PDB file of all heavy atoms in Angstrom:
ATOM      1  N   GLY A  21       0.801  -1.236  -0.046  1.00 90.00           N
ATOM      2  CA  GLY A  21      -0.034  -0.008   0.049  1.00 90.00           C
ATOM      3  C   GLY A  21       0.832   1.303   0.009  1.00 90.00           C
ATOM      4  O   GLY A  21       0.295   2.360  -0.230  1.00 90.00           O
ATOM      5  N   ALA A  22       2.114   1.158   0.208  1.00 93.00           N
ATOM      6  CA  ALA A  22       2.930   2.314   0.158  1.00 93.00           C
ATOM      7  C   ALA A  22       3.141   2.938  -1.223  1.00 93.00           C
ATOM      8  O   ALA A  22       3.045   2.167  -2.203  1.00 93.00           O
ATOM      9  CB  ALA A  22       4.291   2.020   0.795  1.00 93.00           C
ATOM     10  N   VAL A  23       3.503   4.178  -1.316  1.00 94.00           N
ATOM     11  CA  VAL A  23       3.818   4.811  -2.650  1.00 94.00           C
ATOM     12  C   VAL A  23       5.345   4.527  -2.846  1.00 94.00           C
ATOM     13  O   VAL A  23       6.093   4.798  -1.937  1.00 94.00           O
ATOM     14  CB  VAL A  23       3.512   6.267  -2.590  1.00 94.00           C
ATOM     15  CG1 VAL A  23       3.981   6.988  -3.866  1.00 94.00           C
ATOM     16  CG2 VAL A  23       1.972   6.530  -2.463  1.00 94.00           C
ATOM     17  N   VAL A  24       5.688   4.097  -3.975  1.00 95.00           N
ATOM     18  CA  VAL A  24       7.167   3.953  -4.341  1.00 95.00           C
ATOM     19  C   VAL A  24       7.437   5.095  -5.228  1.00 95.00           C
ATOM     20  O   VAL A  24       6.758   5.335  -6.244  1.00 95.00           O
ATOM     21  CB  VAL A  24       7.368   2.562  -5.081  1.00 95.00           C
ATOM     22  CG1 VAL A  24       6.648   2.266  -6.182  1.00 95.00           C
ATOM     23  CG2 VAL A  24       8.972   2.481  -5.277  1.00 95.00           C
ATOM     24  N   ALA A  25       8.456   5.938  -4.969  1.00 92.00           N
ATOM     25  CA  ALA A  25       8.945   6.939  -5.770  1.00 92.00           C
ATOM     26  C   ALA A  25      10.142   6.554  -6.491  1.00 92.00           C
ATOM     27  O   ALA A  25      11.044   5.888  -6.007  1.00 92.00           O
ATOM     28  CB  ALA A  25       9.323   8.191  -4.812  1.00 92.00           C
ATOM     29  N   LEU A  26      10.080   6.826  -7.831  1.00 91.00           N
ATOM     30  CA  LEU A  26      11.146   6.348  -8.774  1.00 91.00           C
ATOM     31  C   LEU A  26      11.778   7.560  -9.487  1.00 91.00           C
ATOM     32  O   LEU A  26      11.147   8.512  -9.788  1.00 91.00           O
ATOM     33  CB  LEU A  26      10.489   5.472  -9.765  1.00 91.00           C
ATOM     34  CG  LEU A  26       9.866   4.259  -9.137  1.00 91.00           C
ATOM     35  CD1 LEU A  26       8.877   3.618 -10.116  1.00 91.00           C
ATOM     36  CD2 LEU A  26      10.916   3.214  -8.784  1.00 91.00           C
ATOM     37  N   ARG A  27      12.997   7.316  -9.810  1.00 87.00           N
ATOM     38  CA  ARG A  27      13.742   8.291 -10.688  1.00 87.00           C
ATOM     39  C   ARG A  27      14.062   7.529 -12.014  1.00 87.00           C
ATOM     40  O   ARG A  27      14.962   6.839 -12.211  1.00 87.00           O
ATOM     41  CB  ARG A  27      15.099   8.615  -9.976  1.00 87.00           C
ATOM     42  CG  ARG A  27      14.935   9.347  -8.659  1.00 87.00           C
ATOM     43  CD  ARG A  27      16.323   9.626  -8.088  1.00 87.00           C
ATOM     44  NE  ARG A  27      16.115  10.461  -6.919  1.00 87.00           N
ATOM     45  CZ  ARG A  27      16.483  10.169  -5.669  1.00 87.00           C
ATOM     46  NH1 ARG A  27      17.187   8.977  -5.495  1.00 87.00           N
ATOM     47  NH2 ARG A  27      16.321  10.935  -4.653  1.00 87.00           N
ATOM     48  N   THR A  28      13.080   7.821 -12.993  1.00 86.00           N
ATOM     49  CA  THR A  28      13.221   7.041 -14.195  1.00 86.00           C
ATOM     50  C   THR A  28      13.739   7.779 -15.413  1.00 86.00           C
ATOM     51  O   THR A  28      14.124   7.203 -16.451  1.00 86.00           O
ATOM     52  CB  THR A  28      11.800   6.578 -14.683  1.00 86.00           C
ATOM     53  OG1 THR A  28      10.990   7.706 -14.939  1.00 86.00           O
ATOM     54  CG2 THR A  28      11.123   5.783 -13.564  1.00 86.00           C
ATOM     55  N   SER A  29      13.979   9.040 -15.330  1.00 77.00           N
ATOM     56  CA  SER A  29      14.441   9.874 -16.574  1.00 77.00           C
ATOM     57  C   SER A  29      15.907   9.696 -16.679  1.00 77.00           C
ATOM     58  O   SER A  29      16.688   9.863 -15.768  1.00 77.00           O
ATOM     59  CB  SER A  29      14.169  11.373 -16.353  1.00 77.00           C
ATOM     60  OG  SER A  29      14.690  12.077 -17.320  1.00 77.00           O
ATOM     61  N   PRO A  30      16.261   9.213 -17.893  1.00 73.00           N
ATOM     62  CA  PRO A  30      17.686   9.018 -18.045  1.00 73.00           C
ATOM     63  C   PRO A  30      18.493  10.328 -17.998  1.00 73.00           C
ATOM     64  O   PRO A  30      19.674  10.270 -17.711  1.00 73.00           O
ATOM     65  CB  PRO A  30      17.821   8.425 -19.413  1.00 73.00           C
ATOM     66  CG  PRO A  30      16.370   8.383 -20.028  1.00 73.00           C
ATOM     67  CD  PRO A  30      15.533   8.867 -18.989  1.00 73.00           C
ATOM     68  N   ARG A  31      17.850  11.514 -18.270  1.00 71.00           N
ATOM     69  CA  ARG A  31      18.595  12.774 -18.256  1.00 71.00           C
ATOM     70  C   ARG A  31      18.512  13.425 -16.868  1.00 71.00           C
ATOM     71  O   ARG A  31      19.238  14.320 -16.556  1.00 71.00           O
ATOM     72  CB  ARG A  31      18.011  13.645 -19.274  1.00 71.00           C
ATOM     73  CG  ARG A  31      18.314  13.218 -20.728  1.00 71.00           C
ATOM     74  CD  ARG A  31      17.675  14.140 -21.632  1.00 71.00           C
ATOM     75  NE  ARG A  31      16.223  14.108 -21.478  1.00 71.00           N
ATOM     76  CZ  ARG A  31      15.319  14.643 -22.275  1.00 71.00           C
ATOM     77  NH1 ARG A  31      15.659  15.328 -23.322  1.00 71.00           N
ATOM     78  NH2 ARG A  31      13.991  14.457 -21.989  1.00 71.00           N
ATOM     79  N   HIS A  32      17.631  12.956 -16.036  1.00 65.00           N
ATOM     80  CA  HIS A  32      17.421  13.664 -14.663  1.00 65.00           C
ATOM     81  C   HIS A  32      17.313  12.601 -13.618  1.00 65.00           C
ATOM     82  O   HIS A  32      16.406  12.441 -12.892  1.00 65.00           O
ATOM     83  CB  HIS A  32      16.170  14.487 -14.705  1.00 65.00           C
ATOM     84  CG  HIS A  32      16.094  15.530 -15.850  1.00 65.00           C
ATOM     85  ND1 HIS A  32      16.840  16.613 -15.852  1.00 65.00           N
ATOM     86  CD2 HIS A  32      15.353  15.421 -17.043  1.00 65.00           C
ATOM     87  CE1 HIS A  32      16.602  17.266 -16.918  1.00 65.00           C
ATOM     88  NE2 HIS A  32      15.737  16.655 -17.651  1.00 65.00           N
ATOM     89  N   ARG A  33      18.374  11.823 -13.451  1.00 68.00           N
ATOM     90  CA  ARG A  33      18.350  10.811 -12.338  1.00 68.00           C
ATOM     91  C   ARG A  33      18.403  11.339 -10.939  1.00 68.00           C
ATOM     92  O   ARG A  33      18.397  10.484  -9.988  1.00 68.00           O
ATOM     93  CB  ARG A  33      19.693   9.796 -12.599  1.00 68.00           C
ATOM     94  CG  ARG A  33      19.560   9.087 -13.786  1.00 68.00           C
ATOM     95  CD  ARG A  33      18.910   7.688 -13.550  1.00 68.00           C
ATOM     96  NE  ARG A  33      19.053   6.989 -14.763  1.00 68.00           N
ATOM     97  CZ  ARG A  33      18.180   6.148 -15.311  1.00 68.00           C
ATOM     98  NH1 ARG A  33      17.104   5.971 -14.617  1.00 68.00           N
ATOM     99  NH2 ARG A  33      18.392   5.487 -16.372  1.00 68.00           N
ATOM    100  N   ASP A  34      18.548  12.667 -10.788  1.00 73.00           N
ATOM    101  CA  ASP A  34      18.654  13.147  -9.430  1.00 73.00           C
ATOM    102  C   ASP A  34      17.314  13.605  -8.821  1.00 73.00           C
ATOM    103  O   ASP A  34      17.297  14.067  -7.694  1.00 73.00           O
ATOM    104  CB  ASP A  34      19.550  14.416  -9.426  1.00 73.00           C
ATOM    105  CG  ASP A  34      19.061  15.426 -10.426  1.00 73.00           C
ATOM    106  OD1 ASP A  34      18.418  15.135 -11.442  1.00 73.00           O
ATOM    107  OD2 ASP A  34      19.367  16.646 -10.171  1.00 73.00           O
ATOM    108  N   PHE A  35      16.202  13.266  -9.513  1.00 79.00           N
ATOM    109  CA  PHE A  35      14.889  13.550  -8.881  1.00 79.00           C
ATOM    110  C   PHE A  35      13.807  12.546  -9.231  1.00 79.00           C
ATOM    111  O   PHE A  35      13.785  11.905 -10.338  1.00 79.00           O
ATOM    112  CB  PHE A  35      14.487  15.003  -9.178  1.00 79.00           C
ATOM    113  CG  PHE A  35      14.292  15.282 -10.652  1.00 79.00           C
ATOM    114  CD1 PHE A  35      13.057  15.093 -11.297  1.00 79.00           C
ATOM    115  CD2 PHE A  35      15.334  15.959 -11.357  1.00 79.00           C
ATOM    116  CE1 PHE A  35      13.001  15.343 -12.598  1.00 79.00           C
ATOM    117  CE2 PHE A  35      15.146  16.280 -12.633  1.00 79.00           C
ATOM    118  CZ  PHE A  35      13.895  15.969 -13.318  1.00 79.00           C
ATOM    119  N   VAL A  36      12.741  12.574  -8.421  1.00 83.00           N
ATOM    120  CA  VAL A  36      11.534  11.774  -8.605  1.00 83.00           C
ATOM    121  C   VAL A  36      10.714  12.155  -9.719  1.00 83.00           C
ATOM    122  O   VAL A  36      10.373  13.390  -9.712  1.00 83.00           O
ATOM    123  CB  VAL A  36      10.717  11.646  -7.276  1.00 83.00           C
ATOM    124  CG1 VAL A  36       9.452  10.811  -7.487  1.00 83.00           C
ATOM    125  CG2 VAL A  36      11.537  10.990  -6.179  1.00 83.00           C
ATOM    126  N   ASP A  37      10.388  11.292 -10.692  1.00 83.00           N
ATOM    127  CA  ASP A  37       9.541  11.695 -11.778  1.00 83.00           C
ATOM    128  C   ASP A  37       8.481  10.637 -12.101  1.00 83.00           C
ATOM    129  O   ASP A  37       7.659  10.781 -12.966  1.00 83.00           O
ATOM    130  CB  ASP A  37      10.325  11.958 -13.088  1.00 83.00           C
ATOM    131  CG  ASP A  37      11.057  10.735 -13.635  1.00 83.00           C
ATOM    132  OD1 ASP A  37      11.141   9.780 -12.811  1.00 83.00           O
ATOM    133  OD2 ASP A  37      11.418  10.778 -14.669  1.00 83.00           O
ATOM    134  N   HIS A  38       8.325   9.617 -11.262  1.00 88.00           N
ATOM    135  CA  HIS A  38       7.414   8.519 -11.411  1.00 88.00           C
ATOM    136  C   HIS A  38       7.024   7.924 -10.039  1.00 88.00           C
ATOM    137  O   HIS A  38       7.871   7.869  -9.230  1.00 88.00           O
ATOM    138  CB  HIS A  38       7.904   7.533 -12.403  1.00 88.00           C
ATOM    139  CG  HIS A  38       6.931   6.414 -12.850  1.00 88.00           C
ATOM    140  ND1 HIS A  38       5.727   6.833 -13.377  1.00 88.00           N
ATOM    141  CD2 HIS A  38       6.958   5.158 -12.815  1.00 88.00           C
ATOM    142  CE1 HIS A  38       5.048   5.705 -13.665  1.00 88.00           C
ATOM    143  NE2 HIS A  38       5.816   4.685 -13.297  1.00 88.00           N
ATOM    144  N   VAL A  39       5.800   7.418 -10.031  1.00 92.00           N
ATOM    145  CA  VAL A  39       5.274   6.838  -8.795  1.00 92.00           C
ATOM    146  C   VAL A  39       4.474   5.608  -9.043  1.00 92.00           C
ATOM    147  O   VAL A  39       3.896   5.485 -10.188  1.00 92.00           O
ATOM    148  CB  VAL A  39       4.520   7.786  -7.784  1.00 92.00           C
ATOM    149  CG1 VAL A  39       5.447   8.814  -7.224  1.00 92.00           C
ATOM    150  CG2 VAL A  39       3.391   8.401  -8.649  1.00 92.00           C
ATOM    151  N   GLY A  40       4.387   4.651  -8.101  1.00 95.00           N
ATOM    152  CA  GLY A  40       3.512   3.538  -8.192  1.00 95.00           C
ATOM    153  C   GLY A  40       3.010   3.105  -6.762  1.00 95.00           C
ATOM    154  O   GLY A  40       3.392   3.836  -5.756  1.00 95.00           O
ATOM    155  N   VAL A  41       2.367   2.027  -6.692  1.00 95.00           N
ATOM    156  CA  VAL A  41       1.870   1.511  -5.349  1.00 95.00           C
ATOM    157  C   VAL A  41       2.397   0.122  -5.136  1.00 95.00           C
ATOM    158  O   VAL A  41       2.262  -0.765  -6.036  1.00 95.00           O
ATOM    159  CB  VAL A  41       0.337   1.414  -5.347  1.00 95.00           C
ATOM    160  CG1 VAL A  41      -0.233   0.851  -3.999  1.00 95.00           C
ATOM    161  CG2 VAL A  41      -0.218   2.900  -5.500  1.00 95.00           C
ATOM    162  N   VAL A  42       3.036  -0.124  -3.979  1.00 94.00           N
ATOM    163  CA  VAL A  42       3.583  -1.399  -3.622  1.00 94.00           C
ATOM    164  C   VAL A  42       2.517  -2.441  -3.340  1.00 94.00           C
ATOM    165  O   VAL A  42       1.542  -2.058  -2.586  1.00 94.00           O
ATOM    166  CB  VAL A  42       4.481  -1.233  -2.349  1.00 94.00           C
ATOM    167  CG1 VAL A  42       5.029  -2.572  -1.933  1.00 94.00           C
ATOM    168  CG2 VAL A  42       5.586  -0.204  -2.707  1.00 94.00           C
ATOM    169  N   PHE A  43       2.655  -3.636  -3.866  1.00 86.00           N
ATOM    170  CA  PHE A  43       1.746  -4.703  -3.566  1.00 86.00           C
ATOM    171  C   PHE A  43       2.225  -5.602  -2.452  1.00 86.00           C
ATOM    172  O   PHE A  43       1.553  -5.993  -1.553  1.00 86.00           O
ATOM    173  CB  PHE A  43       1.451  -5.560  -4.742  1.00 86.00           C
ATOM    174  CG  PHE A  43       0.358  -5.137  -5.697  1.00 86.00           C
ATOM    175  CD1 PHE A  43       0.622  -4.979  -7.044  1.00 86.00           C
ATOM    176  CD2 PHE A  43      -0.921  -4.789  -5.192  1.00 86.00           C
ATOM    177  CE1 PHE A  43      -0.355  -4.514  -7.847  1.00 86.00           C
ATOM    178  CE2 PHE A  43      -1.907  -4.378  -6.017  1.00 86.00           C
ATOM    179  CZ  PHE A  43      -1.648  -4.181  -7.419  1.00 86.00           C
ATOM    180  N   ASP A  44       3.501  -5.965  -2.496  1.00 86.00           N
ATOM    181  CA  ASP A  44       4.173  -6.765  -1.443  1.00 86.00           C
ATOM    182  C   ASP A  44       5.574  -6.431  -1.428  1.00 86.00           C
ATOM    183  O   ASP A  44       6.078  -5.394  -2.014  1.00 86.00           O
ATOM    184  CB  ASP A  44       3.903  -8.260  -1.741  1.00 86.00           C
ATOM    185  CG  ASP A  44       4.333  -8.679  -3.131  1.00 86.00           C
ATOM    186  OD1 ASP A  44       5.333  -8.220  -3.686  1.00 86.00           O
ATOM    187  OD2 ASP A  44       3.689  -9.575  -3.632  1.00 86.00           O
ATOM    188  N   SER A  45       6.427  -7.157  -0.868  1.00 86.00           N
ATOM    189  CA  SER A  45       7.821  -6.927  -0.728  1.00 86.00           C
ATOM    190  C   SER A  45       8.572  -6.823  -1.973  1.00 86.00           C
ATOM    191  O   SER A  45       9.794  -6.315  -1.974  1.00 86.00           O
ATOM    192  CB  SER A  45       8.515  -7.794   0.314  1.00 86.00           C
ATOM    193  OG  SER A  45       8.493  -9.154  -0.301  1.00 86.00           O
ATOM    194  N   CYS A  46       8.114  -7.378  -3.037  1.00 91.00           N
ATOM    195  CA  CYS A  46       8.860  -7.298  -4.299  1.00 91.00           C
ATOM    196  C   CYS A  46       8.118  -6.790  -5.549  1.00 91.00           C
ATOM    197  O   CYS A  46       8.632  -6.700  -6.616  1.00 91.00           O
ATOM    198  CB  CYS A  46       9.500  -8.602  -4.502  1.00 91.00           C
ATOM    199  SG  CYS A  46       8.338  -9.994  -4.841  1.00 91.00           S
ATOM    200  N   ARG A  47       6.831  -6.472  -5.426  1.00 94.00           N
ATOM    201  CA  ARG A  47       6.150  -6.002  -6.629  1.00 94.00           C
ATOM    202  C   ARG A  47       5.291  -4.655  -6.404  1.00 94.00           C
ATOM    203  O   ARG A  47       4.860  -4.391  -5.320  1.00 94.00           O
ATOM    204  CB  ARG A  47       5.071  -7.074  -7.051  1.00 94.00           C
ATOM    205  CG  ARG A  47       5.656  -8.315  -7.447  1.00 94.00           C
ATOM    206  CD  ARG A  47       4.557  -9.350  -7.734  1.00 94.00           C
ATOM    207  NE  ARG A  47       3.857  -9.645  -6.467  1.00 94.00           N
ATOM    208  CZ  ARG A  47       2.676 -10.257  -6.557  1.00 94.00           C
ATOM    209  NH1 ARG A  47       1.999 -10.564  -7.617  1.00 94.00           N
ATOM    210  NH2 ARG A  47       1.992 -10.398  -5.318  1.00 94.00           N
ATOM    211  N   PHE A  48       5.185  -3.950  -7.633  1.00 95.00           N
ATOM    212  CA  PHE A  48       4.402  -2.760  -7.411  1.00 95.00           C
ATOM    213  C   PHE A  48       3.609  -2.547  -8.773  1.00 95.00           C
ATOM    214  O   PHE A  48       3.957  -3.085  -9.793  1.00 95.00           O
ATOM    215  CB  PHE A  48       5.310  -1.542  -7.176  1.00 95.00           C
ATOM    216  CG  PHE A  48       6.127  -1.068  -8.311  1.00 95.00           C
ATOM    217  CD1 PHE A  48       5.769   0.134  -9.015  1.00 95.00           C
ATOM    218  CD2 PHE A  48       7.238  -1.757  -8.742  1.00 95.00           C
ATOM    219  CE1 PHE A  48       6.576   0.532 -10.098  1.00 95.00           C
ATOM    220  CE2 PHE A  48       8.049  -1.303  -9.855  1.00 95.00           C
ATOM    221  CZ  PHE A  48       7.610  -0.133 -10.460  1.00 95.00           C
TER     222      PHE A  48
END
């Protein structure tokens, strides 16, 4: 249920630009 914050931009790896929701310890 937690929000996972991701840094997905290849040009801007220093900041969060994408999010998802965690299902369990290894999937979102």
Side-chain angles (χ1 to χ4, degrees):
V23 173
V24 57
L26 301 159
R27 296 179 175 125
T28 64
S29 173
R31 292 178 298 189
H32 304 287
R33 294 265 188 221
D34 57 331
F35 62 82
V36 172
D37 64 343
H38 187 55
V39 290
V41 176
V42 176
F43 274 129
D44 57 34
S45 63
C46 64
R47 294 178 298 161
F48 75 108

